[in-house]
Amino acid sequence: MFLSVNSELWRKVSAETALELQLLFEKWRLLLAGIVFQYIHGLAARGVHYLHRPGPLLQDMGFMALPELGQDKGYLSETVFTSIFISFLLWSFHPFIYHSKRFYTVLLWRRVLAFLVASQFLRIITFYSTQLPGPNYHCREGSKLATLPPPNNVLEVLLINFPRGVLFGCGDLIFSSHMIFTLVFVRTYHKYGSRRLIKLFAWLMAVIQSLLIIASRKHYTVDVVVAWYTVNLVVFFVDKNLPEMPDRTSGSSLLPVSTKDKDDRTNEELHKPEKDSKMKDEFHKLLNGNTVDSTDRRQRLQMNGKHGEDINHTLSDATPNGT
């Protein structure tokens, strides 16, 4: 029994992998562009750190309203973010195992990367426009990490000191990158997920994440507020202009992705009016209790006395010169 279940699961995973790979081979360029932009975004964040100058904290309503968690509890917001990230990642690959197939994983991540790239592009523009003094502890006056010394070579900039350079960056404030990922993931699950309770819980986690970021003093409140309306607007407009993904539970499919299948679909669409006409004829035949075609029906009517004469008369009147 156990071997039978494992064999069935393996067949399902293999079939799903083959299907997703077929999509990946066609969509890899856009996926690769989205992944490469993640590095560009990290490079931009590293670059603005060289421009950052520490200063007194700005007046912030969130800082007044929320108690400061302290440097030793900064991990709380990172823990929530990591939980959201890993949960979404695992959910996006669940069609490989479970029977509920509401989307293709490749197409889902293609969509997610489009949302991330558009939001991150706007983020780069905003934090390079004006550099604010960072509220995080390592960005304040007196910290050695608050200002980076000029780079010794280009390679030092290109390597972005990963992951330390990402974790201890300064200057990339408006708007929060953590909230970009969180809101994109939550909105995507809200649209393509199937559990209402999880959707409500996901939005609750997004709110908690926002409060923890402010309480940890990793961002100003404005960074979080701007992220909430900017990311939601970006996702709304980008999603509206992208072709909708098929709902696999309804049996529809975005495939074919091969040229042969595309030609088959094109031929099917070209012959659709002809097929519809034939279906209507068959429907009328069934209603009339007949299974013969219209030509045979006309010939039989013509052989039935008066009805045949009436029809012949009508046909002769409708034909020029009586022929």
Side-chain angles (χ1 to χ4, degrees), residues 85-126:
F85 189 96
I86 294 177
S87 299
F88 182 83
L89 183 67
L90 294 176
W91 169 76
S92 69
F93 282 92
H94 86 275
F96 284 81
I97 299 175
Y98 293 99
H99 291 287
S100 56
K101 307 175 182 178
R102 295 200 62 181
F103 55 82
Y104 297 98
T105 300
V106 168
L107 299 185
L108 181 80
W109 275 102
R110 182 169 172 257
R111 212 174 191 85
V112 166
L113 286 170
F115 301 151
L116 292 176
V117 168
S119 300
Q120 290 167 334
F121 178 76
L122 293 176
R123 180 175 188 260
I124 292 172
I125 293 175
T126 54

mmCIF file of all heavy atoms in Angstrom, residues 85-126:
data_model
loop_
_atom_site.group_PDB
_atom_site.id
_atom_site.type_symbol
_atom_site.label_atom_id
_atom_site.label_comp_id
_atom_site.label_asym_id
_atom_site.label_seq_id
_atom_site.Cartn_x
_atom_site.Cartn_y
_atom_site.Cartn_z
ATOM 1 N N PHE A 85 7.644 34.457 3.638
ATOM 2 C CA PHE A 85 8.369 34.132 2.408
ATOM 3 C C PHE A 85 8.381 32.624 2.165
ATOM 4 O O PHE A 85 8.054 32.147 1.069
ATOM 5 C CB PHE A 85 9.798 34.663 2.493
ATOM 6 C CG PHE A 85 10.566 34.562 1.210
ATOM 7 C CD1 PHE A 85 10.637 35.637 0.347
ATOM 8 C CD2 PHE A 85 11.213 33.382 0.854
ATOM 9 C CE1 PHE A 85 11.341 35.554 -0.851
ATOM 10 C CE2 PHE A 85 11.919 33.281 -0.337
ATOM 11 C CZ PHE A 85 11.984 34.375 -1.194
ATOM 12 N N ILE A 86 8.753 31.841 3.177
ATOM 13 C CA ILE A 86 8.844 30.394 3.018
ATOM 14 C C ILE A 86 7.467 29.780 2.785
ATOM 15 O O ILE A 86 7.305 28.869 1.961
ATOM 16 C CB ILE A 86 9.523 29.760 4.250
ATOM 17 C CG1 ILE A 86 10.985 30.210 4.334
ATOM 18 C CG2 ILE A 86 9.442 28.236 4.197
ATOM 19 C CD1 ILE A 86 11.718 29.698 5.548
ATOM 20 N N SER A 87 6.453 30.288 3.497
ATOM 21 C CA SER A 87 5.093 29.772 3.313
ATOM 22 C C SER A 87 4.610 29.978 1.886
ATOM 23 O O SER A 87 4.021 29.081 1.264
ATOM 24 C CB SER A 87 4.134 30.447 4.298
ATOM 25 O OG SER A 87 4.506 30.177 5.623
ATOM 26 N N PHE A 88 4.847 31.173 1.353
ATOM 27 C CA PHE A 88 4.426 31.451 -0.025
ATOM 28 C C PHE A 88 5.198 30.591 -1.013
ATOM 29 O O PHE A 88 4.627 30.076 -1.979
ATOM 30 C CB PHE A 88 4.630 32.929 -0.351
ATOM 31 C CG PHE A 88 4.184 33.305 -1.737
ATOM 32 C CD1 PHE A 88 2.851 33.583 -1.999
ATOM 33 C CD2 PHE A 88 5.094 33.365 -2.786
ATOM 34 C CE1 PHE A 88 2.435 33.921 -3.277
ATOM 35 C CE2 PHE A 88 4.684 33.690 -4.070
ATOM 36 C CZ PHE A 88 3.347 33.973 -4.313
ATOM 37 N N LEU A 89 6.493 30.433 -0.779
ATOM 38 C CA LEU A 89 7.320 29.621 -1.665
ATOM 39 C C LEU A 89 6.811 28.185 -1.722
ATOM 40 O O LEU A 89 6.651 27.606 -2.803
ATOM 41 C CB LEU A 89 8.774 29.657 -1.196
ATOM 42 C CG LEU A 89 9.797 28.907 -2.055
ATOM 43 C CD1 LEU A 89 9.946 29.570 -3.417
ATOM 44 C CD2 LEU A 89 11.140 28.846 -1.345
ATOM 45 N N LEU A 90 6.536 27.596 -0.560
ATOM 46 C CA LEU A 90 6.040 26.222 -0.505
ATOM 47 C C LEU A 90 4.659 26.114 -1.159
ATOM 48 O O LEU A 90 4.384 25.165 -1.891
ATOM 49 C CB LEU A 90 5.977 25.738 0.940
ATOM 50 C CG LEU A 90 7.320 25.595 1.663
ATOM 51 C CD1 LEU A 90 7.103 25.202 3.118
ATOM 52 C CD2 LEU A 90 8.195 24.548 0.959
ATOM 53 N N TRP A 91 3.798 27.103 -0.890
ATOM 54 C CA TRP A 91 2.463 27.064 -1.490
ATOM 55 C C TRP A 91 2.536 27.151 -3.009
ATOM 56 O O TRP A 91 1.770 26.495 -3.714
ATOM 57 C CB TRP A 91 1.625 28.220 -0.945
ATOM 58 C CG TRP A 91 0.340 28.412 -1.692
ATOM 59 C CD1 TRP A 91 -0.794 27.664 -1.598
ATOM 60 C CD2 TRP A 91 0.071 29.409 -2.682
ATOM 61 N NE1 TRP A 91 -1.751 28.134 -2.460
ATOM 62 C CE2 TRP A 91 -1.249 29.205 -3.132
ATOM 63 C CE3 TRP A 91 0.814 30.462 -3.216
ATOM 64 C CZ2 TRP A 91 -1.830 30.020 -4.098
ATOM 65 C CZ3 TRP A 91 0.234 31.259 -4.175
ATOM 66 C CH2 TRP A 91 -1.080 31.041 -4.608
ATOM 67 N N SER A 92 3.449 27.960 -3.539
ATOM 68 C CA SER A 92 3.548 28.135 -4.993
ATOM 69 C C SER A 92 3.955 26.848 -5.700
ATOM 70 O O SER A 92 3.699 26.692 -6.896
ATOM 71 C CB SER A 92 4.546 29.254 -5.337
ATOM 72 O OG SER A 92 5.868 28.860 -5.033
ATOM 73 N N PHE A 93 4.572 25.913 -4.975
ATOM 74 C CA PHE A 93 4.979 24.641 -5.568
ATOM 75 C C PHE A 93 4.046 23.488 -5.178
ATOM 76 O O PHE A 93 4.331 22.341 -5.527
ATOM 77 C CB PHE A 93 6.416 24.295 -5.148
ATOM 78 C CG PHE A 93 7.460 25.065 -5.904
ATOM 79 C CD1 PHE A 93 7.951 26.267 -5.399
ATOM 80 C CD2 PHE A 93 7.940 24.611 -7.120
ATOM 81 C CE1 PHE A 93 8.902 26.997 -6.097
ATOM 82 C CE2 PHE A 93 8.897 25.324 -7.827
ATOM 83 C CZ PHE A 93 9.376 26.526 -7.308
ATOM 84 N N HIS A 94 2.949 23.780 -4.497
ATOM 85 C CA HIS A 94 2.085 22.692 -4.057
ATOM 86 C C HIS A 94 1.388 21.944 -5.196
ATOM 87 O O HIS A 94 1.042 20.775 -5.027
ATOM 88 C CB HIS A 94 1.049 23.205 -3.046
ATOM 89 C CG HIS A 94 -0.197 23.766 -3.655
ATOM 90 N ND1 HIS A 94 -0.298 25.075 -4.077
ATOM 91 C CD2 HIS A 94 -1.401 23.197 -3.922
ATOM 92 C CE1 HIS A 94 -1.494 25.284 -4.561
ATOM 93 N NE2 HIS A 94 -2.182 24.165 -4.492
ATOM 94 N N PRO A 95 1.170 22.553 -6.392
ATOM 95 C CA PRO A 95 0.570 21.754 -7.475
ATOM 96 C C PRO A 95 1.408 20.556 -7.889
ATOM 97 O O PRO A 95 0.899 19.650 -8.556
ATOM 98 C CB PRO A 95 0.446 22.766 -8.630
ATOM 99 C CG PRO A 95 0.387 24.089 -7.964
ATOM 100 C CD PRO A 95 1.294 23.962 -6.784
ATOM 101 N N PHE A 96 2.691 20.528 -7.538
ATOM 102 C CA PHE A 96 3.525 19.375 -7.868
ATOM 103 C C PHE A 96 3.125 18.148 -7.054
ATOM 104 O O PHE A 96 3.434 17.026 -7.449
ATOM 105 C CB PHE A 96 5.009 19.694 -7.592
ATOM 106 C CG PHE A 96 5.633 20.566 -8.637
ATOM 107 C CD1 PHE A 96 5.458 21.940 -8.615
ATOM 108 C CD2 PHE A 96 6.406 20.019 -9.652
ATOM 109 C CE1 PHE A 96 6.039 22.751 -9.577
ATOM 110 C CE2 PHE A 96 6.982 20.821 -10.619
ATOM 111 C CZ PHE A 96 6.798 22.191 -10.578
ATOM 112 N N ILE A 97 2.452 18.352 -5.923
ATOM 113 C CA ILE A 97 2.153 17.238 -5.028
ATOM 114 C C ILE A 97 0.653 17.038 -4.851
ATOM 115 O O ILE A 97 0.143 15.926 -4.995
ATOM 116 C CB ILE A 97 2.817 17.467 -3.655
ATOM 117 C CG1 ILE A 97 4.335 17.558 -3.816
ATOM 118 C CG2 ILE A 97 2.457 16.350 -2.678
ATOM 119 C CD1 ILE A 97 5.076 17.906 -2.555
ATOM 120 N N TYR A 98 -0.071 18.124 -4.568
ATOM 121 C CA TYR A 98 -1.485 17.991 -4.266
ATOM 122 C C TYR A 98 -2.325 17.993 -5.544
ATOM 123 O O TYR A 98 -1.890 18.447 -6.600
ATOM 124 C CB TYR A 98 -1.934 19.117 -3.331
ATOM 125 C CG TYR A 98 -1.316 19.017 -1.962
ATOM 126 C CD1 TYR A 98 -0.197 19.785 -1.631
ATOM 127 C CD2 TYR A 98 -1.821 18.145 -0.998
ATOM 128 C CE1 TYR A 98 0.387 19.689 -0.376
ATOM 129 C CE2 TYR A 98 -1.241 18.037 0.248
ATOM 130 C CZ TYR A 98 -0.143 18.807 0.560
ATOM 131 O OH TYR A 98 0.445 18.712 1.795
ATOM 132 N N HIS A 99 -3.567 17.509 -5.405
ATOM 133 C CA HIS A 99 -4.434 17.379 -6.573
ATOM 134 C C HIS A 99 -5.056 18.711 -6.988
ATOM 135 O O HIS A 99 -5.532 18.839 -8.108
ATOM 136 C CB HIS A 99 -5.542 16.365 -6.285
ATOM 137 C CG HIS A 99 -5.040 14.961 -6.164
ATOM 138 N ND1 HIS A 99 -4.625 14.218 -7.252
ATOM 139 C CD2 HIS A 99 -4.853 14.177 -5.081
ATOM 140 C CE1 HIS A 99 -4.216 13.027 -6.860
ATOM 141 N NE2 HIS A 99 -4.349 12.965 -5.539
ATOM 142 N N SER A 100 -5.120 19.662 -6.067
ATOM 143 C CA SER A 100 -5.720 20.957 -6.419
ATOM 144 C C SER A 100 -4.746 21.748 -7.285
ATOM 145 O O SER A 100 -3.721 22.222 -6.813
ATOM 146 C CB SER A 100 -6.038 21.746 -5.138
ATOM 147 O OG SER A 100 -4.886 21.893 -4.348
ATOM 148 N N LYS A 101 -5.058 21.876 -8.554
ATOM 149 C CA LYS A 101 -4.174 22.556 -9.514
ATOM 150 C C LYS A 101 -4.854 23.823 -10.011
ATOM 151 O O LYS A 101 -5.503 23.836 -11.040
ATOM 152 C CB LYS A 101 -3.869 21.643 -10.703
ATOM 153 C CG LYS A 101 -3.335 20.277 -10.321
ATOM 154 C CD LYS A 101 -3.198 19.414 -11.573
ATOM 155 C CE LYS A 101 -2.711 18.037 -11.228
ATOM 156 N NZ LYS A 101 -2.614 17.180 -12.416
ATOM 157 N N ARG A 102 -4.697 24.897 -9.275
ATOM 158 C CA ARG A 102 -5.352 26.137 -9.665
ATOM 159 C C ARG A 102 -4.487 27.004 -10.554
ATOM 160 O O ARG A 102 -4.965 27.956 -11.144
ATOM 161 C CB ARG A 102 -5.773 26.930 -8.430
ATOM 162 C CG ARG A 102 -6.827 26.238 -7.578
ATOM 163 C CD ARG A 102 -7.542 27.210 -6.693
ATOM 164 N NE ARG A 102 -8.262 28.207 -7.468
ATOM 165 C CZ ARG A 102 -8.954 29.198 -6.921
ATOM 166 N NH1 ARG A 102 -8.999 29.321 -5.618
ATOM 167 N NH2 ARG A 102 -9.578 30.072 -7.669
ATOM 168 N N PHE A 103 -3.199 26.696 -10.634
ATOM 169 C CA PHE A 103 -2.310 27.539 -11.433
ATOM 170 C C PHE A 103 -1.073 26.746 -11.808
ATOM 171 O O PHE A 103 -0.806 25.668 -11.275
ATOM 172 C CB PHE A 103 -1.901 28.789 -10.634
ATOM 173 C CG PHE A 103 -1.276 28.471 -9.298
ATOM 174 C CD1 PHE A 103 0.063 28.129 -9.189
ATOM 175 C CD2 PHE A 103 -2.040 28.510 -8.137
ATOM 176 C CE1 PHE A 103 0.630 27.823 -7.963
ATOM 177 C CE2 PHE A 103 -1.477 28.204 -6.909
ATOM 178 C CZ PHE A 103 -0.141 27.856 -6.830
ATOM 179 N N TYR A 104 -0.330 27.312 -12.770
ATOM 180 C CA TYR A 104 0.982 26.782 -13.131
ATOM 181 C C TYR A 104 2.028 27.565 -12.339
ATOM 182 O O TYR A 104 2.018 28.794 -12.324
ATOM 183 C CB TYR A 104 1.235 26.927 -14.627
ATOM 184 C CG TYR A 104 0.280 26.150 -15.489
ATOM 185 C CD1 TYR A 104 -0.830 26.771 -16.058
ATOM 186 C CD2 TYR A 104 0.486 24.800 -15.746
ATOM 187 C CE1 TYR A 104 -1.706 26.063 -16.858
ATOM 188 C CE2 TYR A 104 -0.382 24.085 -16.540
ATOM 189 C CZ TYR A 104 -1.480 24.721 -17.090
ATOM 190 O OH TYR A 104 -2.355 24.016 -17.880
ATOM 191 N N THR A 105 2.947 26.870 -11.699
ATOM 192 C CA THR A 105 3.944 27.511 -10.843
ATOM 193 C C THR A 105 4.817 28.482 -11.634
ATOM 194 O O THR A 105 5.123 29.584 -11.170
ATOM 195 C CB THR A 105 4.820 26.443 -10.159
ATOM 196 O OG1 THR A 105 3.979 25.598 -9.366
ATOM 197 C CG2 THR A 105 5.874 27.083 -9.272
ATOM 198 N N VAL A 106 5.225 28.097 -12.839
ATOM 199 C CA VAL A 106 6.061 28.968 -13.663
ATOM 200 C C VAL A 106 5.329 30.270 -13.980
ATOM 201 O O VAL A 106 5.906 31.365 -13.868
ATOM 202 C CB VAL A 106 6.468 28.249 -14.965
ATOM 203 C CG1 VAL A 106 7.085 29.232 -15.955
ATOM 204 C CG2 VAL A 106 7.460 27.124 -14.664
ATOM 205 N N LEU A 107 4.070 30.176 -14.345
ATOM 206 C CA LEU A 107 3.307 31.376 -14.693
ATOM 207 C C LEU A 107 3.028 32.225 -13.463
ATOM 208 O O LEU A 107 2.983 33.463 -13.548
ATOM 209 C CB LEU A 107 1.992 30.979 -15.364
ATOM 210 C CG LEU A 107 2.124 30.190 -16.671
ATOM 211 C CD1 LEU A 107 0.756 29.962 -17.287
ATOM 212 C CD2 LEU A 107 3.024 30.930 -17.656
ATOM 213 N N LEU A 108 2.844 31.583 -12.309
ATOM 214 C CA LEU A 108 2.617 32.334 -11.084
ATOM 215 C C LEU A 108 3.842 33.172 -10.721
ATOM 216 O O LEU A 108 3.722 34.366 -10.433
ATOM 217 C CB LEU A 108 2.284 31.380 -9.939
ATOM 218 C CG LEU A 108 1.991 32.061 -8.600
ATOM 219 C CD1 LEU A 108 0.555 32.575 -8.591
ATOM 220 C CD2 LEU A 108 2.207 31.121 -7.425
ATOM 221 N N TRP A 109 5.031 32.553 -10.778
ATOM 222 C CA TRP A 109 6.240 33.298 -10.426
ATOM 223 C C TRP A 109 6.595 34.341 -11.483
ATOM 224 O O TRP A 109 7.191 35.377 -11.163
ATOM 225 C CB TRP A 109 7.410 32.334 -10.206
ATOM 226 C CG TRP A 109 7.414 31.823 -8.813
ATOM 227 C CD1 TRP A 109 6.982 30.606 -8.366
ATOM 228 C CD2 TRP A 109 7.850 32.538 -7.649
ATOM 229 N NE1 TRP A 109 7.118 30.520 -7.004
ATOM 230 C CE2 TRP A 109 7.655 31.687 -6.533
ATOM 231 C CE3 TRP A 109 8.378 33.810 -7.432
ATOM 232 C CZ2 TRP A 109 7.977 32.071 -5.234
ATOM 233 C CZ3 TRP A 109 8.690 34.198 -6.139
ATOM 234 C CH2 TRP A 109 8.497 33.339 -5.057
ATOM 235 N N ARG A 110 6.228 34.095 -12.702
ATOM 236 C CA ARG A 110 6.417 35.107 -13.743
ATOM 237 C C ARG A 110 5.596 36.345 -13.408
ATOM 238 O O ARG A 110 6.054 37.485 -13.574
ATOM 239 C CB ARG A 110 5.980 34.516 -15.083
ATOM 240 C CG ARG A 110 6.150 35.425 -16.290
ATOM 241 C CD ARG A 110 5.929 34.601 -17.548
ATOM 242 N NE ARG A 110 5.893 35.439 -18.723
ATOM 243 C CZ ARG A 110 4.778 35.790 -19.376
ATOM 244 N NH1 ARG A 110 3.623 35.370 -18.937
ATOM 245 N NH2 ARG A 110 4.821 36.534 -20.443
ATOM 246 N N ARG A 111 4.411 36.119 -12.901
ATOM 247 C CA ARG A 111 3.544 37.217 -12.506
ATOM 248 C C ARG A 111 4.090 37.920 -11.262
ATOM 249 O O ARG A 111 4.121 39.146 -11.193
ATOM 250 C CB ARG A 111 2.149 36.640 -12.216
ATOM 251 C CG ARG A 111 0.994 37.552 -12.517
ATOM 252 C CD ARG A 111 -0.325 36.835 -12.323
ATOM 253 N NE ARG A 111 -1.412 37.614 -12.854
ATOM 254 C CZ ARG A 111 -1.796 37.613 -14.124
ATOM 255 N NH1 ARG A 111 -1.150 36.856 -14.983
ATOM 256 N NH2 ARG A 111 -2.800 38.369 -14.532
ATOM 257 N N VAL A 112 4.509 37.138 -10.285
ATOM 258 C CA VAL A 112 5.041 37.702 -9.046
ATOM 259 C C VAL A 112 6.275 38.551 -9.320
ATOM 260 O O VAL A 112 6.430 39.657 -8.772
ATOM 261 C CB VAL A 112 5.371 36.566 -8.047
ATOM 262 C CG1 VAL A 112 6.231 37.074 -6.898
ATOM 263 C CG2 VAL A 112 4.088 35.949 -7.504
ATOM 264 N N LEU A 113 7.160 38.054 -10.162
ATOM 265 C CA LEU A 113 8.373 38.816 -10.488
ATOM 266 C C LEU A 113 8.036 40.118 -11.211
ATOM 267 O O LEU A 113 8.724 41.133 -11.022
ATOM 268 C CB LEU A 113 9.314 37.961 -11.333
ATOM 269 C CG LEU A 113 10.057 36.858 -10.567
ATOM 270 C CD1 LEU A 113 10.776 35.916 -11.536
ATOM 271 C CD2 LEU A 113 11.053 37.462 -9.584
ATOM 272 N N ALA A 114 6.998 40.118 -12.013
ATOM 273 C CA ALA A 114 6.574 41.358 -12.679
ATOM 274 C C ALA A 114 6.132 42.390 -11.638
ATOM 275 O O ALA A 114 6.474 43.580 -11.741
ATOM 276 C CB ALA A 114 5.439 41.065 -13.653
ATOM 277 N N PHE A 115 5.383 41.946 -10.627
ATOM 278 C CA PHE A 115 4.960 42.854 -9.553
ATOM 279 C C PHE A 115 6.173 43.380 -8.781
ATOM 280 O O PHE A 115 6.252 44.573 -8.473
ATOM 281 C CB PHE A 115 4.023 42.132 -8.579
ATOM 282 C CG PHE A 115 2.778 41.584 -9.204
ATOM 283 C CD1 PHE A 115 2.152 40.462 -8.686
ATOM 284 C CD2 PHE A 115 2.218 42.186 -10.314
ATOM 285 C CE1 PHE A 115 0.999 39.959 -9.253
ATOM 286 C CE2 PHE A 115 1.059 41.691 -10.900
ATOM 287 C CZ PHE A 115 0.452 40.568 -10.362
ATOM 288 N N LEU A 116 7.101 42.479 -8.464
ATOM 289 C CA LEU A 116 8.280 42.880 -7.689
ATOM 290 C C LEU A 116 9.141 43.873 -8.455
ATOM 291 O O LEU A 116 9.592 44.879 -7.892
ATOM 292 C CB LEU A 116 9.106 41.640 -7.327
ATOM 293 C CG LEU A 116 8.486 40.649 -6.336
ATOM 294 C CD1 LEU A 116 9.389 39.434 -6.157
ATOM 295 C CD2 LEU A 116 8.229 41.312 -4.994
ATOM 296 N N VAL A 117 9.374 43.601 -9.731
ATOM 297 C CA VAL A 117 10.230 44.473 -10.532
ATOM 298 C C VAL A 117 9.632 45.873 -10.640
ATOM 299 O O VAL A 117 10.340 46.879 -10.467
ATOM 300 C CB VAL A 117 10.463 43.865 -11.926
ATOM 301 C CG1 VAL A 117 11.088 44.886 -12.867
ATOM 302 C CG2 VAL A 117 11.354 42.630 -11.828
ATOM 303 N N ALA A 118 8.345 45.961 -10.917
ATOM 304 C CA ALA A 118 7.700 47.273 -11.043
ATOM 305 C C ALA A 118 7.779 48.048 -9.726
ATOM 306 O O ALA A 118 8.085 49.252 -9.711
ATOM 307 C CB ALA A 118 6.241 47.098 -11.469
ATOM 308 N N SER A 119 7.526 47.360 -8.609
ATOM 309 C CA SER A 119 7.577 48.025 -7.304
ATOM 310 C C SER A 119 9.005 48.429 -6.941
ATOM 311 O O SER A 119 9.241 49.538 -6.431
ATOM 312 C CB SER A 119 7.004 47.093 -6.229
ATOM 313 O OG SER A 119 5.659 46.752 -6.495
ATOM 314 N N GLN A 120 9.958 47.532 -7.191
ATOM 315 C CA GLN A 120 11.351 47.833 -6.851
ATOM 316 C C GLN A 120 11.925 48.943 -7.720
ATOM 317 O O GLN A 120 12.755 49.732 -7.256
ATOM 318 C CB GLN A 120 12.191 46.562 -6.985
ATOM 319 C CG GLN A 120 11.894 45.529 -5.914
ATOM 320 C CD GLN A 120 12.498 44.181 -6.240
ATOM 321 O OE1 GLN A 120 12.719 43.829 -7.409
ATOM 322 N NE2 GLN A 120 12.766 43.389 -5.212
ATOM 323 N N PHE A 121 11.485 49.035 -8.956
ATOM 324 C CA PHE A 121 11.928 50.120 -9.828
ATOM 325 C C PHE A 121 11.501 51.474 -9.254
ATOM 326 O O PHE A 121 12.289 52.425 -9.197
ATOM 327 C CB PHE A 121 11.363 49.935 -11.236
ATOM 328 C CG PHE A 121 11.731 51.026 -12.197
ATOM 329 C CD1 PHE A 121 13.002 51.080 -12.750
ATOM 330 C CD2 PHE A 121 10.806 51.999 -12.551
ATOM 331 C CE1 PHE A 121 13.355 52.098 -13.640
ATOM 332 C CE2 PHE A 121 11.146 53.007 -13.426
ATOM 333 C CZ PHE A 121 12.417 53.056 -13.977
ATOM 334 N N LEU A 122 10.258 51.553 -8.793
ATOM 335 C CA LEU A 122 9.778 52.788 -8.168
ATOM 336 C C LEU A 122 10.522 53.054 -6.861
ATOM 337 O O LEU A 122 10.816 54.204 -6.525
ATOM 338 C CB LEU A 122 8.274 52.685 -7.903
ATOM 339 C CG LEU A 122 7.373 52.621 -9.138
ATOM 340 C CD1 LEU A 122 5.927 52.435 -8.722
ATOM 341 C CD2 LEU A 122 7.521 53.870 -9.989
ATOM 342 N N ARG A 123 10.834 51.991 -6.135
ATOM 343 C CA ARG A 123 11.556 52.142 -4.874
ATOM 344 C C ARG A 123 12.952 52.735 -5.107
ATOM 345 O O ARG A 123 13.387 53.618 -4.357
ATOM 346 C CB ARG A 123 11.667 50.784 -4.178
ATOM 347 C CG ARG A 123 12.397 50.836 -2.853
ATOM 348 C CD ARG A 123 12.372 49.493 -2.145
ATOM 349 N NE ARG A 123 12.915 49.628 -0.800
ATOM 350 C CZ ARG A 123 14.148 49.300 -0.442
ATOM 351 N NH1 ARG A 123 14.989 48.789 -1.341
ATOM 352 N NH2 ARG A 123 14.556 49.459 0.799
ATOM 353 N N ILE A 124 13.633 52.251 -6.128
ATOM 354 C CA ILE A 124 14.972 52.763 -6.432
ATOM 355 C C ILE A 124 14.914 54.255 -6.731
ATOM 356 O O ILE A 124 15.750 55.041 -6.258
ATOM 357 C CB ILE A 124 15.590 51.989 -7.610
ATOM 358 C CG1 ILE A 124 15.878 50.537 -7.198
ATOM 359 C CG2 ILE A 124 16.875 52.656 -8.085
ATOM 360 C CD1 ILE A 124 16.303 49.647 -8.362
ATOM 361 N N ILE A 125 13.909 54.663 -7.502
ATOM 362 C CA ILE A 125 13.769 56.083 -7.841
ATOM 363 C C ILE A 125 13.568 56.923 -6.583
ATOM 364 O O ILE A 125 14.185 57.982 -6.416
ATOM 365 C CB ILE A 125 12.588 56.285 -8.813
ATOM 366 C CG1 ILE A 125 12.894 55.629 -10.161
ATOM 367 C CG2 ILE A 125 12.292 57.769 -9.005
ATOM 368 C CD1 ILE A 125 11.738 55.672 -11.136
ATOM 369 N N THR A 126 12.733 56.457 -5.671
ATOM 370 C CA THR A 126 12.397 57.263 -4.490
ATOM 371 C C THR A 126 13.563 57.361 -3.516
ATOM 372 O O THR A 126 13.858 58.448 -3.007
ATOM 373 C CB THR A 126 11.157 56.701 -3.769
ATOM 374 O OG1 THR A 126 11.374 55.308 -3.463
ATOM 375 C CG2 THR A 126 9.919 56.815 -4.629
#
